[in-house]
Amino acid sequence: IPVDEFDLVIFGGTGDLARRKILPGLYRRFRSGQMPEGARIIGAARADQDSAAYRKMIQDAIEEFVPEKSRDSESIAEFIKLLEYIPIDATGEGGWKELAAMVRKEVVKAFYFSVGPSLFGDLAERLHKYGIADDQSRLVVEKPFGRDLDSAKALNAVLAQHFDESQIYRIDHYLGKETVQNLMAVRFGNILFEPLWNSQYVDHIQITAAETVAVGSRGAYYDKSGAMRDMVQNHLMQLLCLIAMEPPNEFEPDAVRDEKLKVIRALDPVAQSDIVRGQYSGNADGPSYVEEAENPDSKTECFVAMKVNISNWRWKGTPIYLRTGKRLRARESEIAVVFKDPPHSIFGEQDGRRGNVLVIRLQPNEGMNLRVTIKEPGPGGMRLMEVPLDMSFAEALGPDAEDVPDAYERLIMDVIRGNQTLFMRGDEVEAAWAWTDPIIKGWTERGDKPKLYDPGSSGPEDALMLLHKDGRRWREIK
Ligand code: BG6
């Protein structure tokens, strides 16, 4: 279904994110027929170039970042006609009058701040000063949304001077992933799971976001952030919220976000002994973390594993283990809900060691799978085996499966539709930092150095121990 006519202004329109994700995503929506004829996308950045040069730049980006199967030169040529470019001075006055003249009054207006947070205030102020934004306009902001509670509060305050919370769309691209939304459909669209979804039946939950990529050229930036700020405070916590929250009474933005917020507020502080941090060492395939960070004494983690407890009626006693890292064995993100063993073994020894596990795979091969125990087929007596009940989106959707929309394209279309469900509210972000801050402070004050791990492994040995000491084990990263 096409969305309403819109003007989307992308500040930082020539940047990496715009070229890699935002514009390729918009192109794919255009190609699928979801973009109305009157849509217009305005790139705004410092570079002094004209719209023709910008169109060429974006054409190149689409050719580089959209798989061949999902693009064709005809539709690219049509798509880039929607693009305009305006050189703009974010902290000065250059370009703003021109932008004001270009943005239409009568259509949906969205402003995407794909720039560092230090510019948020300047941009928001000028959008109003020049009469470009109004109280219906939407504002999209990217992470990092602050680096601690104080800076997040300050950013929220700056935005609140010019925009109402109902106009602000804080992106966490994990919320746009197909399976993440499916998680809600599975939990709340079936009767099957909800009765078991509590500490009486769930032994523990594992949330893994393993990456094979190194920090690479982002080393210097990344070293000031680390995995806790880069992945846990946002992406992993969002997954944790969706898996643990109470059923919202309707699938509406604030109903969902209220429930997520309650989960964050119910998180216990984490003991330092329940945290393992790591840095990859170097090998023939690539430099070590500290080399890439250009900081031989770096104490920043690019791997973190931790045990988290939720103090509420549903989850008390069911730990949630989180794990994420760079340069690991495989790119694999999943949530595994590990159920308890049946209370009594009627099949003797072989029974009871095969608990049910529901795995929600975010990437690759999005899908779900439920491990169940059955009888081994054949006349060999009552022997048990485990089989996965497998649901792969690729198979379910058929040959078009590659066209599962990318997280960004879905989220941008939600902005145009005015649906905030999959975006973080200001209080959620602040609550997440309020929980994260003391954890980071804890290891910073102790001066802990992360443990080294081999690239291509599943992280430091100590991360295995984190579960072993509880009599559990991580699912393998394969
Ligand atoms: C980003 C982080 O938010 O998410 C990156 O800044 C990380 O460090 C990326 O690589 C992972 O996203 P995805 O979609 O590839 O899992």
Side-chain angles (χ1 to χ4, degrees):
I1 311 166
V3 296
D4 290 341
E5 241 178 86
F6 64 85
D7 276 354
L8 169 66
V9 182
I10 307 173
F11 294 99
T14 55
D16 198 53
L17 184 75
R19 290 186 313 107
R20 258 172 209 280
K21 294 283 184 187
I22 304 174
L23 283 142
L26 285 162
Y27 163 69
R28 286 168 57 124
R29 292 293 91 205
F30 174 81
R31 190 169 180 257
S32 73
Q34 211 183 18
M35 213 166 282
E37 271 178 26
R40 214 166 40 170
I41 301 159
I42 303 165
R46 230 172 343 195
D48 193 13
Q49 61 175 355
D50 60 11
S51 293
Y54 188 59
R55 291 187 190 119
K56 174 75 177 72
M57 173 190 232
I58 299 309
Q59 175 178 346
D60 293 347
I62 293 171
E63 282 162 5
E64 186 176 350
F65 298 114
V66 177
E68 216 170 331
K69 179 173 178 254
S70 308
R71 64 176 148 88
D72 62 87
S73 43
E74 229 168 84
S75 64
I76 296 179
E78 285 302 309
F79 173 73
I80 59 172
K81 287 188 197 154
L82 309 179
L83 303 180
E84 303 287 345
Y85 181 82
I86 287 213
I88 205 124
D89 181 0
T91 53
E93 310 308 317
W96 289 94
K97 281 199 187 118
E98 291 76 1
L99 184 61
M102 190 180 273
V103 172
R104 295 170 292 175
K105 290 266 175 278
E106 66 288 0
V107 300
V108 172
K109 289 184 284 293
F111 302 98
Y112 199 130
F113 287 3
S114 180
V115 295
S118 59
L119 292 178
F120 287 4
D122 289 312
L123 293 175
E125 189 195 321
R126 283 167 180 73
L127 282 173
H128 278 89
K129 181 169 154 192
Y130 287 90
I132 304 170
D134 56 35
D135 58 8
Q136 296 301 310
S137 305
R138 287 146 209 178
L139 186 65
V140 187
V141 295
E142 272 293 332
K143 70 175 269 265
F145 200 83
R147 55 174 285 110
D148 54 21
L149 178 58
D150 288 347
S151 51
K153 275 188 178 164
L155 282 179
N156 276 334
V158 161
L159 296 181
Q161 281 174 14
H162 303 284
F163 291 90
D164 185 69
E165 181 63 35
S166 62
Q167 299 177 272
I168 303 174
Y169 293 73
R170 294 177 195 77
I171 287 214
D172 183 311
H173 79 280
Y174 266 56
L175 289 178
K177 289 186 190 276
E178 182 68 25
T179 342
V180 173
Q181 293 170 77
N182 214 338
L183 163 61
M184 286 189 270
V186 165
R187 273 198 70 189
F188 306 125
N190 295 288
I191 190 98
L192 203 60
F193 299 106
E194 199 49 29
L196 304 179
W197 214 259
N198 56 55
S199 60
Q200 196 180 344
Y201 297 104
V202 178
D203 179 71
H204 72 281
I205 296 173
Q206 300 184 12
I207 302 179
T208 298
E211 300 187 89
T212 49
V213 290
V215 296
S217 56
R218 296 167 77 215
Y221 151 79
Y222 187 93
D223 203 44
K224 295 194 191 73
S225 162
M228 188 72 185
R229 289 191 174 95
D230 186 52
M231 292 292 288
V232 177
Q233 185 271 347
N234 36 71
H235 306 325
L236 269 64
M237 281 188 74
Q238 289 295 320
L239 299 182
L240 188 159
C241 286
L242 294 178
I243 201 95
M245 71 183 181
E246 295 300 312
N249 66 328
E250 53 185 353
F251 192 58
E252 289 297 328
D254 281 332
V256 172
R257 298 186 298 179
D258 286 346
E259 296 307 333
K260 283 163 51 192
L261 180 61
K262 286 186 211 162
V263 175
I264 304 176
R265 290 192 173 147
L267 296 177
D268 285 351
V270 181
Q272 292 291 321
S273 55
D274 283 337
I275 303 172
V276 177
R277 299 188 311 133
Q279 285 176 345
Y280 52 83
S281 48
N283 66 3
D285 295 332
S288 65
Y289 173 77
V290 291
E291 282 166 330
E292 289 190 312
E294 294 175 10
N295 180 5
D297 299 322
S298 171
K299 290 182 177 149
T300 304
E301 76 290 347
C302 54
F303 173 97
V304 64
M306 60 202 294
K307 175 177 165 181
V308 177
N309 290 300
I310 306 175
S311 274
N312 64 16
W313 272 46
R314 187 188 283 265
W315 292 118
K316 188 82 188 177
T318 295
I320 311 215
Y321 299 95
L322 308 179
R323 160 175 74 157
T324 183
K326 306 272 183 212
R327 262 199 112 187
L328 296 175
R329 184 172 305 136
R331 178 171 191 250
E332 207 171 83
S333 296
E334 62 167 43
I335 305 171
V337 180
V338 181
F339 291 91
K340 292 188 173 169
D341 289 340
H344 170 64
S345 303
I346 68 164
F347 304 109
E349 270 285 287
Q350 55 168 336
D351 184 11
R353 282 174 289 129
R354 299 188 169 91
N356 300 115
V357 181
L358 175 68
V359 179
I360 298 144
R361 272 195 317 273
L362 269 56
Q363 57 203 25
N365 311 325
E366 295 109 324
M368 302 209 182
N369 118 20
L370 177 66
R371 191 174 78 183
V372 293
T373 297
I374 61 161
K375 176 190 165 298
E376 214 175 85
M382 195 56 166
R383 292 163 65 91
L384 304 184
M385 65 181 287
E386 30 176 271
V387 288
L389 287 180
D390 217 346
M391 206 285 279
S392 139
F393 290 169
E395 278 168 31
L397 296 175
D400 286 339
E402 258 181 52
D403 283 322
V404 172
D406 172 73
Y408 272 93
E409 38 189 303
R410 179 192 318 273
L411 293 174
I412 298 169
M413 288 298 111
D414 277 0
V415 173
I416 306 298
R417 283 194 204 96
N419 184 346
Q420 289 184 303
T421 310
L422 298 175
F423 296 84
M424 293 180 295
R425 211 168 50 193
D427 51 1
E428 257 185 275
V429 179
E430 290 184 12
W433 282 120
W435 178 76
T436 315
D437 275 3
I439 300 175
I440 297 177
K441 193 164 168 242
W443 70 56
T444 310
E445 279 177 1
R446 286 157 49 126
D448 287 350
K449 183 129 172 105
K451 305 273 187 271
L452 279 184
Y453 63 92
D454 290 334
S457 69
S458 50
E461 283 289 309
D462 292 36
L464 302 179
M465 289 313 297
L466 190 65
L467 270 75
H468 279 186
K469 69 180 186 197
D470 293 344
R472 302 183 172 109
R473 54 205 289 209
W474 286 109
R475 287 170 47 79
E476 215 178 315
I477 299 174
K478 301 197 225 12

